[in-house]
Structure formats: C-alpha cells, structure tokens
C-alpha cells in the first residue's frame, strides 16, 4: 500500500488543538443501544491496519492558504470577519455559565435525520422485520436471506436508518450480507462509502478507518466518495487534523477533490467546532479551483458559527447566499436559529421562525422548535420554553428523541418531577426508548434539588435496563455527591468510572472544581486545576469562573488547611510558565496508582469527619484573583461576563474600599476597557469615565440580554455596596433606557425580578423620584402601587430571597409606606394616595436623592504597586 506523502510545504498548518486526553469515543465504544457482533474481524476496533497517515503527517496536516484569485464578491462580504471583531468586546464575552451544551442533549446517539434515500417497498418491510429481530443474529440473517434485496439504494436506505437508531449490529450484518453477494465494484463502493458515514455517526471511528483502508486496498474504495465519507466521519469524531491530512493525500492517489469532497472537509471542520476563520479558507480554495459552493457548503459554514453564538456572522453568510442566488432550506434556518440561541438572541430566533422562514415558504420542523425550546431553557426563560412545547402540540409536531430529552430536562430543572417522569414514560409509549441522555437529564434535575436517594435509584435503574452510563452520567453523579458532602459515595462512583475505562476531561474537572468551590475548598480546587493541566486537559473560562466566584466571602468559608498530607500548605509550591498554571505540589505519594482525584476525595472525607479545621479569610485573599486572571491571560483563555460578575462580586466582598480599588486597578492591566470603567466609576464618575462607560454600554447592546443584565447587575452591586450610589443610579437609568431588564416599569408597578440587590435599590430610588415628579405635576396617583421582587422560590432557603430582603430593608429605611401583600410575599403594595402624601413631604426628597461616597477621586497611580500574593501562598 502506498504510504501517505509529506504535505506540500506551501500549505499553512492548522493551529494545533490543545492537548487533550479525553477522546471519549475511544472509551464509550460499544455502549448505549449499540448491539454487538464479534463475528467478523472487520468490526473489531483492535484490528490493526496500515493507515493513510502517520502521527507525524497528521500533526503537520495543513489547511489551505488563502486563494489569491478567490471571488472578489466573496472576499468583500466576509473578509471583515477574517481580520477581527467589529467591537472590542469579543463574542466570547457573552460566554457560558457552565460546560453544559445542547450537544449533551443528544450525546447518547446520533440525532435522526430525514431519510430521503430512494428505495423500494420491500426495503421498508425488511427494515420492520430487522427491527423486530432484536439482538438475535440468526433472526437478522434469516430476514436478509428471505427478502434478498438487489438494489444498492435499498441497502443504503437501511444503513441510514440504522445510523438514525444507533443499531450497530443491524448495520454491520446488513453491510456484510450485501457485500458478500456484490460483484459490481460501483455497487460495493457506494455501499462502503455509506457504511463509513454510518460508522462515523455511530462514533465508531476506528471501525470506519479499518473499513476505509480495506476498501481502498481492494480497489472499490479508492474513490472520491469513499474519501469524502471518511473525511466526514473523522470530522464528526473531532479528528479534523486527520481529516485534513486525508484530504491533502487525495492527489497522490490520483483523485481530485470535487464539490462533494470540499463540502465534506468544510463540514468536518464545522463538526469539529473549528473556528470559522480556519474553515472558510477551504471555501476560498474551493472557489479558486473552480468549484462553486452550494447550499450544503453554506449550511456547513453556518455550523462553525454555532458553538460561540456568532449570530452576526450567520446573518452575513445568509446575505451572501441571497446575493449569490443560493436558496435556503430548513437546515439553513435550523442552524441560524441555533446560533441565535447560543448567542442569547432569543428575540431574533423567534423572529426568524415566525417571520423570516414563512417569507421563504420554509416551515419549522421538530428540530427548529426543539432548538428554540433548548435556547429558552438555557436562558432560564422556562415559561417561554413551555410555550414552545404547547405550540408544537398545537401544530401536531411529533416529538423526537431529542425534543423529549429536552422536555424531560426542562421539567426536571424546574423541579416538576411528576411532569418529568410523565414525559419519561410517554417516550416509551410512543416507541422512543429512554436512553442515557434521558436518564442524565433526570439525574441532573434531581441532583439540583439535592434528592440524592432518587439520583441513586435512577443510576441503578438505568444499569438494570442495560442503558450504560456515559462519562457525563458519572461526572454529574460525582458533582452531585461532592457538592452534597457525600464524599464516600463520590469515591464509589469515581472507582466505577475508572473501571469502565473512561477518561477525565474538561467537563469532568470543571464540574468537580465547581463542586469543591461551592463547598469552600478553594485550595483543593486549585490543586485539581493543576492536576487537570498536568493530565493534558485544558481548562476553559468556566473552570476559572468557578474558582474566582469562590472568593466571595458570603458563600465560602476560609481556605481549608488540614493535617500534614500531600495537599497541605507546607508543601505547596508554584511553578510559573507562559502556558500552564502554577503547580501546587511537586512531591509524589505512594498511594497506589497515584490517582490525585481519589486522594483528594479521601482527604475531603476525612475533613468532613472533623479531622481538620478552616482558617479565617485574610483581607488579601481577593487579590489572589489577580494571579488567577494573569494565568487566564497567559493561557489565552478569554474572560466573559460571568468572570466579570464574579470579580465584581468579590470586590463587593472586600473589607475596605481600598482593597476593591486595588483589585480593579491591577485588573486594568489585562482589560483597560471593562475593568477601567469599573475602576473609574468606583473612584468617582467623572465625565471622562462616563464617556468611556457609554462606549462600553454601546458594545454591550450588541450582546444578548442575559449578558447585558449580568454586566449591569454586577456593576451596580459593587457601586452600591461601596457607597457610590449616585453612580449606581446612573448605571441603572442607563440600563433602563437601553431596555436591559425586560421587567415592567410603569407608574403602577416596578418589576425587579431580573435585577440584583444593588440594581434593585438604585431602581427603587429612581422610580420613586419619577413618581414624585408625577405627583407634583398634578397627575392623579394610581389606586394601588406595587413593587415586585419575587419571594425567593429559587433561593437556597425557599422564601428567603435576598432581593426581597434588600428591598424591604431599603423601603423601611427611607420610610416609604409599602407593606408585603398578604397573598404574595414577593410583592410590596401601598395605596397611591398614601404614597403621594409621603412624596409631598419636604424631607422625602432628601432621602430619595443619592450621592457618591467619593466624588471625582484621582485614580490610583499607574506606577503604584501593591503587595499581590501569589497562588503559592495558599
């Protein structure tokens, strides 16, 4: 077999992906729903074969250089996206609150796609009989022998159906049967390329590679279509660099890429979540080679915009399609809606479904509505998500597996377990089997409400039904038990996780770090962060946000200290580099296989037993945030609005104004725009600072509403806490004018549901001042005035909401005549005439007008330094 030649030198290299030892598909093979067959060596993933690439050639695989003669029209419309962002705030600033992503809702298997393959009536009968055969190999073979399909299209139809349902055994037996009777190389090549795609969708990439090599060595697989299928399978399994290597090798096997191949490599880049700026270069090369892009090309390019919610780029691509006369389809809009949901632009997503799609005579399908429902759930707009479900019922859109799983997760997260279990059972009655994703959704929901007994029952039940837990199941369980202080149970689950051959990844580490931080074990979380990087799993912004958030005094106790073990402060050291986080331990222990996670869980169990005690926090603890932020900067991990909120919340917990000022001043080195504005407003709202703030607010308007409201809430909380109340009020009024908070503001009612405590207090002052203007203007007051805060349904102690308590204290402090409504603990009411009388009193104006504690203060000198402790001091 010919070896893969070296990549030509004029191709630029794909930027290497971060080192990652979490190739899930290597450890979850032959898991949920996948029937097994050991009858043929072809389907053994351990079988060895010579591959088209070597590790060296794969690592050096190149993406194309920009085509010098690419279409001028194409360059003029999309080239701005290759040179940088339109605003200084990157799209990542909207960020993620957790590592959970919608792909999780379908991690148990491939999502069904419409099977439009031409086929005979007999093929449908065969499919029905094969599904009834179950795991019985003899029964499967009997069905295939009795029907004897002859046309390749019929077998292709069957393979696509098995890819939809995740039936590996049926796919392999059907393919083997068809190939054993095939004599025509075209028939064999067509069947093989479709089988490779099927294996790729089933996450059986090693089997797909073996089949590709076998077919190529026998001649019938040395086709553009087989190469395209293999490229697609590699991309689907997060092996984009290998897909590029294979794409580059085609010319050396006498094959020229065509439209199908270019679409495959672009789609591979999209499925591997590679950046648009990398994938679009293949489009440039494609155009230069004389291949005109089609709808599939643009649909794949749109997918590259989804992971980071780059909806503006999606709009540019849609405009490009329109200009080139390339029609859109439901897949185009489904991808666009997904990008809008990821970017938090739910208003635009709704508009795309209700207005844009009908205008093109394209109608939403189950995927469209499932995506919208998941988007509302992610934005915690649960009522809107349920309305989408009602709309689906009204339109008689039948739920598929993914939409059922999304609905089960929605009900479980709301704590509506009766409804969640009802949908869980309804799935089965509709012929859709519960899968690992369904159980994961229920487990996570019960865990959120600390129902650990139900969590354990579900875990045992799924295994009893031979629905195999995946890495996400174990991750969720360990997080639930660790957060609940059930360290012995967490250790049991972790042992089983390791026995199953699964590997820890960024989701696993981040979940465990978050659980540790929420329990106040900052030092352990920092040690785990170090272990994570040592093992080759790159942390992300979610990982760091959990640690920064743990520095809030109100949530966490002290940094823990314990007996003289491998985790103790006496042995702590820090190793600083430009690419990794400091190492908190150098020495190794003799504890078995040296599993750091197990050792940590064992120590936490000992701490729970009372063998350790915790220190009081130092006033300088919050300055460790600077070191953490510096590490994020060195690792090129971009902070997002959650980082900003966590840091400003930490500022609010500083014991003195000076400590908060020092912290923000140090952070200005890394981001002079965001933290410069925060520092400037804290030091006194001079006109120059306010002008900078206005420009920042302009950029925030391009972000989704949840990002904007989180930013305004965090900023006003900090300002209010340190007595910069006029500055807080100015920020609140700016937010109101920009419609940041979607709650109501009217003469009769002030809705504070979406505000933070500081923002709510500043808003109450502004609302009452506006009412005072109305009263002195001679207008009649409404009969009843209301202030809505919510009663704390989602608080740790139900009914004890912090927002309600803060507003109640404010109203009592200024003497406003409001009382809690008898029928609604989250509503303050007063008669309009009584409030009007109070507002007319001369003393009222004095209590309503706000002032800053510090006015026009000089910022801290840039050359002034502070004693910032390093993480090693922990």
């Amino acid at each position: 077999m010919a070896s893969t030649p070296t990549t030509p030198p004029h191709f630029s290299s794909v930027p290497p992906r971060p080192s990652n030892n979490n190739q899930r598909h290597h450890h979850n093979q032959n898991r949920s729903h996948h029937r097994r067959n050991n009858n043929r060596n072809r389907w053994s993933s351990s079988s060895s074969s010579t591959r088209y690439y070597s590790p060296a050639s794969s690592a050096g695989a190149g993406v194309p250089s920009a085509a010098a003669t690419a279409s001028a029209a194409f360059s003029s419309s999309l080239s701005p996206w290759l040179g940088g962002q339109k605003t200084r705030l990157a799209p990542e600033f909207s960020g993620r609150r957790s590592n959970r992503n919608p792909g999780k809702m379908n991690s148990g298997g491939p999502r069904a796609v419409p099977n439009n393959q031409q086929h005979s009536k007999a093929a449908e009968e065969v499919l029905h009989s094969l599904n009834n055969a179950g795991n019985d190999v003899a029964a499967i073979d009997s069905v295939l022998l009795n029907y004897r399909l002859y046309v390749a299209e019929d077998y292709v139809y069957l393979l696509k159906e098995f890819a939809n349902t995740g039936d590996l055994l049926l796919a392999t037996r059907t393919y083997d049967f068809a190939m054993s009777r095939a004599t025509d190389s075209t028939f064999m090549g067509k069947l093989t390329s479709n089988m490779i795609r099927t294996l790729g969708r089933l996450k059986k990439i090693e089997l797909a590679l073996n089949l590709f090599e076998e077919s190529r060595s026998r001649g019938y697989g040395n086709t553009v279509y087989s190469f395209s299928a293999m490229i697609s399978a590699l991309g689907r399994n997060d092996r984009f660099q290998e897909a590029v290597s294979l794409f580059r090798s085609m010319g050396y096997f006498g094959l020229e890429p065509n439209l199908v191949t270019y679409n495959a490599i672009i789609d591979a880049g999209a499925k591997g979540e590679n950046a648009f700026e990398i994938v679009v270069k293949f489009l440039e090369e494609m155009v230069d080679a004389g291949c005109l892009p089609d709808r599939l090309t643009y649909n794949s390019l749109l997918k590259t915009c989804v992971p980071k919610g780059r909806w503006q780029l999606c709009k540019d691509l849609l405009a490009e399609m329109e200009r080139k006369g390339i029609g859109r389809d439901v897949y185009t809009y489904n991808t666009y809606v997904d990008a809008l949901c990821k970017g938090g632009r739910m208003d635009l997503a709704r508009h795309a479904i209700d207005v844009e799609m009908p205008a093109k005579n394209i109608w939403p399908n189950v995927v469209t509505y499932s995506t919208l429902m998941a988007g509302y759930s992610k934005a915690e707009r649960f009522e809107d998500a349920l309305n989408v479900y009602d709309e689906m019922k009204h339109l008689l859109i039948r739920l598929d597996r993914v939409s059922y799983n999304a609905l089960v997760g929605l009900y479980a997260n709301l704590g509506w377990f009766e409804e969640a279990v009802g949908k869980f059972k309804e799935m089965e009655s509709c012929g859709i089997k519960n899968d690992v994703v369904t159980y994961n959704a229920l487990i996570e929901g019960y865990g959120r409400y600390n129902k650990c007994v139900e969590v354990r029952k579900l875990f045992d039940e799924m295994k009893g039904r031979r629905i195999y837990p995946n890495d996400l199941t174990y991750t969720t369980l360990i997080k639930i038990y660790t957060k609940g202080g059930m360290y012995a149970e967490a250790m049991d689950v972790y042992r089983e996780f390791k026995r199953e051959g699964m590997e820890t990844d960024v989701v696993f580490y981040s979940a465990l770090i978050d659980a540790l931080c929420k329990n106040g074990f900052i030092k352990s979380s920092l040690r785990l962060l170090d272990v994570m990087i040592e093992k080759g799993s790159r942390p992300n912004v979610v990982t760091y946000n959990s640690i920064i958030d743990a520095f809030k005094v109100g949530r966490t106790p002290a940094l823990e200290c314990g007996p003289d073990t491998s985790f103790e402060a006496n042995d702590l050291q820090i190793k600083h580099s430009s690419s990794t986080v400091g190492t908190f331990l150098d020495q190794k222990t003799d504890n078995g296989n040296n599993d750091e996670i197990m050792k940590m869980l064992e120590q936490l169990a000992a701490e729970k037993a009372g063998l350790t005690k915790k220190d009081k926090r130092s006033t300088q603890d919050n300055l460790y945030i600077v070191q953490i932020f510096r590490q994020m900067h060195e690792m090129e991990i971009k902070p997002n609005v959650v980082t900003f909120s966590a840091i400003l919340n930490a500022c609010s917990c500083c014991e003195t104004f000076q400590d908060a000022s020092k912290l923000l001043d140090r952070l200005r080195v890394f981001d002079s725009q965001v933290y410069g504005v925060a520092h400037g407003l804290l030091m006194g709202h001079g006109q120059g600072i306010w002008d900078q703030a206005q420009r920042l607010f302009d950029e925030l308007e391009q972000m989704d509403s949840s990002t904007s409201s989180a930013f305004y809430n965090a900023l006003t909380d900090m300002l209010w806490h340190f007595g910069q109340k006029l500055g807080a009020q100015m920020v609140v009024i700016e937010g109101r004018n920009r419609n940041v908070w979607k709650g109501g503001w009217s003469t009769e009612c002030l809705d504070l549901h979406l505000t933070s405590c500081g923002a709510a207090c500043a808003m109450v002052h502004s609302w009452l001042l506006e009412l005072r203007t109305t009263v002195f203007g001679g207008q009649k007051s409404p009969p009843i005035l209301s202030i809505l805060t919510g009663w704390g349904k989602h608080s740790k102690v139900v009914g004890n909401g912090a927002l309600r308590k803060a507003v109640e204290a404010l109203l009592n402090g200024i003497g406003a005549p409001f009382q809690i409504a008898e029928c609604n603990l989250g509503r303050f009411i007063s008669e309009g005439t009584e409030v009007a009388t109070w507002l007319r009193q001369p003393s009222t104006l004095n209590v309503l007008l706000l002032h800053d504690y510090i006015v026009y203060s000089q910022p801290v000198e840039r050359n002034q330094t502070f004693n910032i402790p390093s993480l090693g001091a922990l």
Side-chain angles (χ1 to χ4, degrees):
M1 181 183 302
S3 60
T4 305
T6 305
T7 306
H10 63 276
F11 290 119
S12 60
S13 296
V14 176
R17 294 175 65 83
S19 175
N20 193 355
N21 294 329
N22 65 334
Q23 300 289 341
R24 299 185 187 180
H25 47 269
H26 288 309
H27 307 286
N28 290 329
Q29 294 186 15
N30 300 326
R31 275 309 195 192
S32 70
H33 315 302
H34 293 172
R35 302 178 174 100
R36 294 176 170 80
N37 174 35
N38 299 319
N39 214 26
R40 293 283 301 272
N41 289 334
R42 170 189 290 146
W43 309 120
S44 172
S45 60
S46 62
S47 63
S48 60
S49 63
T50 304
R51 294 283 164 75
Y52 60 88
Y53 65 93
S54 65
S57 65
S58 176
V63 296
S65 58
T69 58
S71 165
F74 172 80
S75 299
S76 64
S77 61
L78 294 181
S79 56
W81 291 100
L82 302 177
Q85 299 302 324
K86 292 182 176 179
T87 65
R88 286 201 57 204
L89 288 183
E92 292 85 352
F93 190 75
S94 61
R96 290 176 291 173
R97 276 70 179 168
S98 71
N99 275 308
R100 182 178 183 183
N101 57 71
K104 164 187 170 181
M105 300 308 295
N106 196 33
S107 60
R111 179 161 196 161
V113 297
N115 188 350
N116 299 321
Q117 176 66 41
Q118 292 183 354
H119 59 279
S120 65
K121 186 68 176 176
E124 295 181 10
E125 296 175 8
V126 171
L127 177 64
H128 179 73
S129 299
L130 288 174
N131 285 330
N132 289 335
N135 291 322
D136 191 336
V137 175
I140 294 171
D141 291 344
S142 175
V143 171
L144 293 170
L145 282 168
N146 289 336
Y147 278 93
R148 292 260 181 147
L149 302 174
Y150 295 99
V151 210
E153 284 72 13
D154 284 344
Y155 288 107
V156 171
Y157 166 78
L158 293 176
L159 291 179
K160 288 184 177 180
E161 283 298 316
F162 300 146
N164 278 340
T165 57
D167 284 310
L168 178 63
L169 176 61
L170 290 179
T172 55
R173 297 303 294 183
T174 301
Y175 174 78
D176 286 343
F177 177 84
M179 290 295 287
S180 68
R181 285 155 178 76
T183 56
D184 178 60
S185 61
T186 303
F187 180 100
M188 298 168 73
K190 186 172 186 177
L191 203 60
T192 299
S193 62
N194 279 277
M195 185 62 184
I196 291 171
R197 291 183 187 275
T198 297
L199 292 171
R201 291 187 61 199
L202 296 179
K203 303 299 182 184
K204 305 299 180 182
I205 189 60
E206 294 300 325
L207 301 184
L209 286 166
N210 291 340
L211 180 59
F212 173 71
E213 286 301 319
E214 178 186 337
S215 65
R216 195 169 62 80
S217 64
R218 295 186 179 184
Y220 56 83
N222 197 39
T223 67
V224 169
Y225 299 100
S226 292
F227 272 78
S228 300
M230 192 67 245
I231 289 169
S232 178
L234 287 166
R236 188 181 288 273
N237 286 270
D238 198 25
R239 293 166 76 160
F240 178 60
Q241 294 208 24
E242 294 172 52
V244 174
S245 178
L246 178 58
F247 177 79
R248 292 290 170 229
S249 72
M250 290 180 65
Y252 297 90
F253 294 111
L255 299 172
E256 286 294 328
N258 60 10
L259 176 62
V260 175
T261 319
Y262 278 112
N263 282 346
I265 191 64
I266 290 172
D267 193 56
K271 286 187 169 68
E273 296 192 1
N274 292 276
F276 169 83
E277 289 76 10
I278 292 176
V279 179
V280 75
K281 291 184 180 294
F282 287 97
L283 178 60
E284 295 175 344
E285 179 182 320
M286 176 183 184
V287 173
D288 190 45
C291 283
L292 295 179
D294 63 1
R295 183 168 55 222
L296 295 178
T297 317
Y298 278 94
N299 283 351
S300 296
L301 278 174
L302 285 166
K303 290 178 192 174
T304 65
C305 309
V306 171
K308 293 184 179 180
R310 299 177 68 176
W311 57 273
Q312 291 171 308
L313 179 51
C314 280
K315 292 185 73 172
D316 287 351
L317 286 168
L318 291 175
E320 182 74 19
M321 292 177 70
E322 187 81 18
R323 194 183 65 80
K324 289 180 176 289
I326 299 173
R328 308 170 188 179
D329 59 12
V330 68
Y331 304 105
T332 312
Y333 276 103
N334 285 348
T335 308
Y336 177 45
V337 169
D338 198 8
L340 290 168
C341 291
K342 294 287 195 311
R345 301 308 299 257
M346 301 309 302
D347 51 343
L348 294 180
R350 186 79 252 188
H351 182 269
I353 294 173
D354 293 343
V355 178
E356 296 179 35
M357 293 182 71
K360 298 285 185 182
N361 287 322
I362 299 171
W363 308 106
N365 59 15
V366 63
V367 178
T368 321
Y369 285 108
S370 296
T371 303
L372 186 65
M373 183 164 59
Y376 279 128
S377 297
K378 179 185 174 184
E380 298 188 355
R381 293 172 59 175
F382 300 122
E383 185 176 347
D384 290 322
L386 293 174
N387 288 338
V388 173
Y389 171 55
D390 291 337
E391 187 176 346
M392 293 174 71
K393 290 192 294 185
H394 177 73
L395 295 173
L396 302 179
I397 295 177
R398 184 177 180 180
L399 301 181
D400 64 359
R401 183 188 306 278
V402 176
S403 47
Y404 264 117
N405 286 337
L407 199 55
V408 169
L410 172 61
Y411 284 136
N413 284 330
L414 284 169
W416 300 0
F417 297 112
E418 184 176 344
E419 290 83 355
V421 172
K423 290 301 171 188
F424 178 85
K425 295 177 179 178
E426 184 182 306
M427 285 180 69
E428 296 274 328
S429 64
C430 292
I432 302 175
K433 296 180 180 179
N434 302 136
D435 60 8
V436 64
V437 185
T438 324
Y439 276 96
N440 285 350
L442 278 176
I443 287 172
E444 183 173 12
Y446 279 113
R448 172 177 285 197
Y449 291 88
N450 299 318
K451 295 181 177 292
C452 294
V453 174
E454 289 81 357
V455 165
R456 185 70 214 188
K457 286 180 180 178
L458 284 168
F459 186 54
D460 292 338
E461 178 185 311
M462 68 184 296
K463 292 190 289 186
R465 295 181 61 185
R466 301 184 67 82
I467 298 176
Y468 298 98
N470 61 14
D471 49 359
L472 189 58
T473 317
Y474 290 109
T475 298
T476 305
L477 283 166
I478 293 170
K479 178 177 180 178
I480 291 170
Y481 288 140
T482 304
K483 190 180 292 185
M486 302 171 65
Y487 302 116
E489 289 81 357
M491 285 189 286
D492 289 341
V493 175
Y494 181 67
R495 291 189 189 98
E496 183 175 333
F497 173 86
K498 298 299 288 185
R499 281 199 305 269
E500 293 297 322
M502 297 183 182
E503 290 290 332
T504 52
D505 61 4
V506 63
V507 178
F508 179 94
Y509 282 113
S510 297
L512 188 52
I513 285 172
D514 183 64
L516 292 169
C517 288
K518 282 183 168 58
N519 280 349
F521 296 116
I522 303 177
K523 188 182 68 180
S524 294
S525 68
L526 291 170
R527 171 59 189 148
L528 188 57
L529 177 67
D530 183 55
V531 171
M532 173 183 184
I533 297 173
E534 288 175 357
K535 299 295 184 183
S537 187
R538 176 181 170 85
N540 58 22
V541 66
V542 178
T543 319
Y544 281 102
N545 286 348
S546 296
I547 297 174
I548 294 173
D549 195 53
F551 281 88
K552 293 192 299 185
V553 174
R555 166 179 288 177
T556 60
L559 302 179
E560 73 274 21
C561 65
D564 186 17
T565 70
S566 60
F567 280 89
E568 291 318 304
N570 292 336
D571 299 315
L572 291 176
Q573 299 182 37
I574 182 167
K575 294 180 180 178
H576 198 65
S577 71
S578 61
S579 60
T580 60
V581 184
T583 303
F584 293 89
L585 283 178
D586 279 340
Q587 77 280 7
K588 301 293 183 182
T589 66
D590 297 324
N591 187 6
N593 60 1
N594 198 32
D595 191 315
E596 299 284 1
I597 295 176
M598 183 59 73
K599 290 189 295 183
M600 184 192 65
L601 291 173
E602 289 172 351
Q603 182 180 336
L604 293 176
E607 289 176 351
K608 183 182 179 183
L611 301 180
T612 63
K613 58 183 178 180
K614 299 188 176 184
D615 293 332
K616 293 183 179 180
R617 289 183 61 106
S618 162
T619 59
Q620 296 227 354
D621 281 350
N622 284 309
L623 295 181
Y624 286 108
I625 293 173
V626 177
Q627 181 68 12
I628 295 171
F629 207 82
R630 180 181 293 116
Q631 293 167 356
M632 293 177 67
H633 180 74
E634 291 172 352
M635 297 186 74
E636 298 183 351
I637 297 173
K638 296 182 179 180
N640 61 18
V641 70
V642 185
T643 322
F644 175 82
S645 299
I647 287 175
L648 290 198
N649 286 332
C651 286
S652 298
C653 295
C654 289
E655 292 189 3
T656 67
F657 180 93
Q658 289 74 18
D659 287 341
S661 174
K662 291 176 184 178
L663 176 57
L664 289 176
D665 182 61
R666 298 293 295 194
L667 293 176
R668 285 195 295 165
V669 175
F670 306 104
D671 189 336
S672 60
Q673 183 190 29
V674 173
Y675 297 99
V677 166
H679 180 266
L681 291 176
L682 179 65
M683 302 304 292
H685 61 281
Q687 186 58 46
I689 288 297
W690 189 249
D691 290 342
Q692 293 179 37
Q694 290 279 5
R695 291 193 290 271
L696 180 58
F697 297 152
D698 288 341
E699 294 188 20
L700 278 169
E701 271 194 302
Q702 304 302 315
M703 300 284 177
D704 59 279
S705 59
S706 60
T707 297
S708 297
S709 60
F711 184 97
Y712 279 86
N713 282 336
L715 185 55
T716 50
D717 267 355
M718 181 197 66
L719 294 174
W720 187 269
H721 175 78
F722 285 111
Q724 301 301 83
K725 296 186 177 182
L726 180 58
Q729 187 178 45
M730 292 176 66
V731 173
V732 162
I733 292 173
E734 190 70 27
R736 182 210 169 184
N737 292 339
R738 295 173 183 264
N739 198 28
V740 169
W741 295 280
K742 303 301 181 183
W745 175 312
S746 65
T747 306
E748 297 85 5
C749 180
L750 176 63
D751 189 346
L752 302 173
H753 275 94
L754 300 179
T755 62
S756 61
C757 292
C761 290
M763 201 173 289
V764 167
H765 276 264
S766 300
W767 183 66
L768 290 174
L769 282 171
E770 190 173 281
L771 285 179
R772 184 177 182 276
T773 302
T774 301
V775 168
F776 278 92
Q779 299 182 31
K780 186 178 179 181
S781 300
I784 297 293
L785 295 173
S786 300
I787 300 175
L788 305 179
T789 63
W791 60 282
K793 180 175 65 174
H794 300 295
S795 302
K796 289 184 177 180
V797 179
V798 175
N800 193 29
L803 178 62
R804 179 176 65 85
K805 292 168 64 177
V807 172
E808 183 177 18
L810 173 70
L811 293 172
N812 291 335
I814 63 177
F818 285 85
Q819 300 83 33
I820 296 176
E822 293 183 2
C823 57
N824 186 349
L825 295 179
R827 182 186 181 199
F828 295 89
I829 61 172
S830 179
E831 293 185 3
T833 54
E834 187 177 358
V835 173
T837 301
W838 175 73
L839 289 171
R840 289 191 181 97
Q841 295 176 7
S843 60
T844 301
L845 181 60
N846 292 329
V847 297
L848 291 182
L849 291 176
L850 296 174
H851 306 278
D852 281 344
Y853 177 73
I854 293 180
V855 181
Y856 301 112
S857 173
Q858 292 297 322
V860 179
E861 295 295 330
R862 298 302 309 141
N863 58 359
Q864 183 178 350
T865 59
F866 302 97
N867 183 23
I868 305 298
S870 67
L871 291 177
L874 290 177

